[in-house]
Amino acid sequence: MTKIKNINDYTHIFLHKIVTLIIKYATEEDVETLLYNAIDDVNYETYNKNLIDTEYSMKENLIYSLIFDIWEDTKRNNCNILTAKNIIRQSLFTHLNSIGVCYYNYYFPDQTDGNEPKFKLPIKEIQTKEPLFGMRKIKVDLNEVYNAEKLKNYEIPQILHKIISNYTKNHFYYAIIDNSIYKIEIELKPNNPVENCVANKITQYILNNRDRYPCIIDKETGLEISIGRQIKLPFKLKKGTLKLQGNTFESFMGTNERIIKALTFKPNPCHWCTPDKDSKNEKIKCDNCRNLLDALNNLAAKCKDDKIKQINFNSLISSVGYTKAKNIADLRNQRKKLLYSFLNNAKKYVKDENIITNIKFLIDKSFDLTIKY
């Protein structure tokens, strides 16, 4: 599994390609947004008038910001402006690399001419030096990509717009690499030397691209976040044949929307299912857990056993705390088992099966390890 600490170390191979793509296809408005995103990230809004020349197009400003001669500029610019230009260039490189890795890892098949006749290529078996998907001999099918229609000229600007505008709104890019999705956030490290004061925070999510209920797994919490559809990765192994497949404009639009929704999802604070380490407020509950507490209290009230009648369910839940769990997923699992154990004991004293069935449903809903929205 690929581990990435700095997106610039991984994506420099995309830089020349994405700059060319942006100059050719991006709108002036999106290039302007990209420039100001880079400026805002490093807090140099004070120097906007000096850094972006309104007499030139935004694409011309982008090129100049990337290639200005630092020594020549020393003769005519003050130190503050020169420092700002240098730092913003670093910020722009990081933005462009991040856009590039997002765009090109979708693998849009644009190598073939759309006017070429379509025909079926033979499936070839190749020998690999290193094991590929655990095999040294593997069959390769190139038909889907070879016969695919390349992106239309009006579709590429829309894809670039989606990637750039997401950063403006949510302040992150993302990259699909191998079996992971990386969330990329850009920030200024003012205490670092000028030459490396622009950093990127990268959060890795594991991609479980299964047929049913595909999801990403938050490594910090251990929770699964549903993405609602499979992601079309460049390679797919099926019945011993490695199939090379490319994304279309339509598949990008749907997948991009779902990934952004998953990466921006934040569960509501809840004393039971998503507790805050720094707050033990028992009154803070999500709707699911509030309904569960009401159902448990209702069961206890109807129960003939005095010990069950006296149970404080907030205290019961709190008996399994963060110190006893690896992460929120583990905490949910332990609390779910605790409530099931209680329910197995309590159902001996309750005749109404509907009450038990309803509580089981509510326990599963509150402490599910997969978040659906």
Side-chain angles (χ1 to χ4, degrees):
M1 184 180 294
T2 305
K3 291 185 179 180
I4 297 173
K5 294 182 179 179
N6 186 326
I7 206 67
N8 293 317
D9 294 339
Y10 178 81
T11 62
H12 62 278
I13 58 172
F14 299 123
L15 184 60
H16 69 287
K17 296 171 69 176
I18 197 63
V19 171
T20 303
L21 195 78
I22 285 174
I23 295 302
K24 187 174 181 180
Y25 291 106
T27 65
E28 278 287 293
E29 291 77 10
D30 282 334
V31 176
E32 181 178 19
T33 299
L34 169 61
L35 284 166
Y36 279 108
N37 282 344
I39 290 170
D40 290 343
D41 278 346
V42 291
N43 301 317
Y44 272 110
E45 65 277 0
T46 308
Y47 301 116
N48 281 354
K49 292 180 181 178
N50 300 89
L51 296 169
I52 294 181
D53 193 333
T54 54
E55 291 185 9
Y56 298 103
S57 73
M58 290 300 146
K59 292 180 181 181
E60 287 172 320
N61 273 287
L62 172 62
I63 293 299
Y64 173 72
S65 297
L66 293 173
I67 65 172
F68 75 90
D69 186 336
I70 189 170
W71 304 113
E72 179 63 25
D73 274 42
T74 306
K75 300 174 184 177
R76 59 177 180 266
N77 282 328
N78 66 49
C79 185
N80 286 336
I81 297 300
L82 189 60
T83 299
K85 285 185 175 183
N86 198 2
I87 292 174
I88 287 170
R89 177 160 63 178
Q90 293 178 51
S91 182
L92 272 173
F93 280 142
T94 307
H95 276 267
L96 290 165
N97 281 332
S98 302
I99 295 169
V101 72
C102 180
Y103 182 93
Y104 286 105
N105 274 27
Y106 265 98
Y107 197 75
F108 298 111
D110 56 1
Q111 296 89 343
T112 57
D113 187 339
N115 297 320
E116 289 181 358
K118 310 298 186 205
F119 58 88
K120 189 170 183 179
L121 294 171
I123 297 174
K124 294 183 178 181
E125 185 174 75
I126 61 171
Q127 181 90 27
T128 62
K129 292 182 180 179
E130 298 294 332
L132 192 59
F133 292 94
M135 297 177 285
R136 288 186 179 276
K137 282 186 178 181
I138 192 166
K139 293 179 181 178
V140 179
D141 182 357
L142 303 177
N143 277 286
E144 182 175 325
V145 169
Y146 188 82
N147 291 313
E149 290 187 12
K150 61 182 179 181
L151 289 175
K152 299 177 177 63
N153 285 346
Y154 66 83
E155 293 174 335
I156 299 174
Q158 294 182 60
I159 293 172
L160 293 173
H161 173 73
K162 286 291 183 182
I163 296 171
I164 293 169
S165 63
N166 170 60
Y167 190 89
T168 307
K169 181 180 179 181
N170 297 309
H171 304 292
F172 70 80
Y173 297 105
Y174 69 86
I176 305 169
I177 302 171
D178 298 335
N179 292 315
S180 295
I181 293 179
Y182 294 87
K183 183 178 181 179
I184 307 161
E185 299 167 272
I186 301 170
E187 57 188 353
L188 177 69
K189 295 287 187 181
N191 294 328
N192 286 3
V194 171
E195 61 272 13
N196 62 354
C197 65
V198 178
N200 49 89
K201 176 187 174 185
I202 297 179
T203 307
Q204 182 182 10
Y205 296 80
I206 306 303
L207 173 62
N208 191 333
N209 209 29
R210 56 199 175 200
D211 292 338
R212 297 186 65 188
Y213 310 117
C215 66
I216 60 175
I217 302 171
D218 185 331
K219 293 182 70 177
E220 182 179 348
T221 65
L223 296 175
E224 297 183 350
I225 306 172
S226 172
I227 52 176
R229 67 188 287 177
Q230 277 190 307
I231 292 176
K232 202 171 185 181
L233 299 174
F235 300 101
K236 183 177 182 179
L237 185 65
K238 189 173 182 180
K239 295 181 180 179
T241 299
L242 185 65
K243 186 177 181 180
L244 185 63
Q245 52 186 12
N247 273 279
T248 62
F249 173 73
E250 288 76 16
S251 66
F252 164 81
M253 296 297 277
T255 300
N256 177 68
E257 180 182 352
R258 286 166 172 79
I259 289 177
I260 290 172
K261 195 171 183 180
L263 293 181
T264 53
F265 176 79
K266 292 182 180 179
N268 294 324
C270 174
H271 176 62
W272 282 25
C273 67
T274 316
D276 185 342
K277 288 182 180 180
D278 302 320
S279 174
K280 297 182 180 179
N281 191 337
E282 295 177 352
K283 294 181 180 180
I284 298 177
K285 290 187 181 67
C286 65
D287 290 342
N288 291 340
C289 291
R290 194 175 298 282
N291 292 336
L292 174 57
L293 175 59
D294 290 343
L296 289 167
N297 283 330
N298 180 50
L299 179 147
K302 293 181 178 181
C303 193
K304 296 178 181 180
D305 185 82
D306 289 338
K307 289 184 179 179
I308 292 177
K309 285 180 180 291
Q310 296 171 8
I311 287 180
N312 182 315
F313 291 104
N314 281 317
S315 298
L316 179 66
I317 284 290
S318 297
S319 66
V320 177
Y322 262 112
T323 56
K324 298 180 181 179
K326 294 182 291 186
N327 51 33
I328 287 181
D330 185 34
L331 187 72
R332 283 190 177 193
N333 196 41
Q334 290 189 49
R335 289 182 171 183
K336 179 178 179 179
K337 288 180 180 178
L338 179 69
L339 288 177
Y340 261 100
S341 176
F342 158 78
L343 198 60
N344 287 332
N345 180 50
K347 68 182 180 182
K348 295 183 291 186
Y349 307 100
V350 178
K351 294 182 179 180
D352 192 338
E353 282 294 327
N354 289 330
I355 292 176
I356 301 299
T357 301
N358 182 51
I359 290 177
K360 284 181 178 178
F361 169 78
L362 291 172
I363 291 173
D364 290 342
K365 190 174 182 180
S366 284
F367 298 101
D368 193 351
L369 301 187
T370 300
I371 297 171
K372 304 180 183 70
Y373 43 80

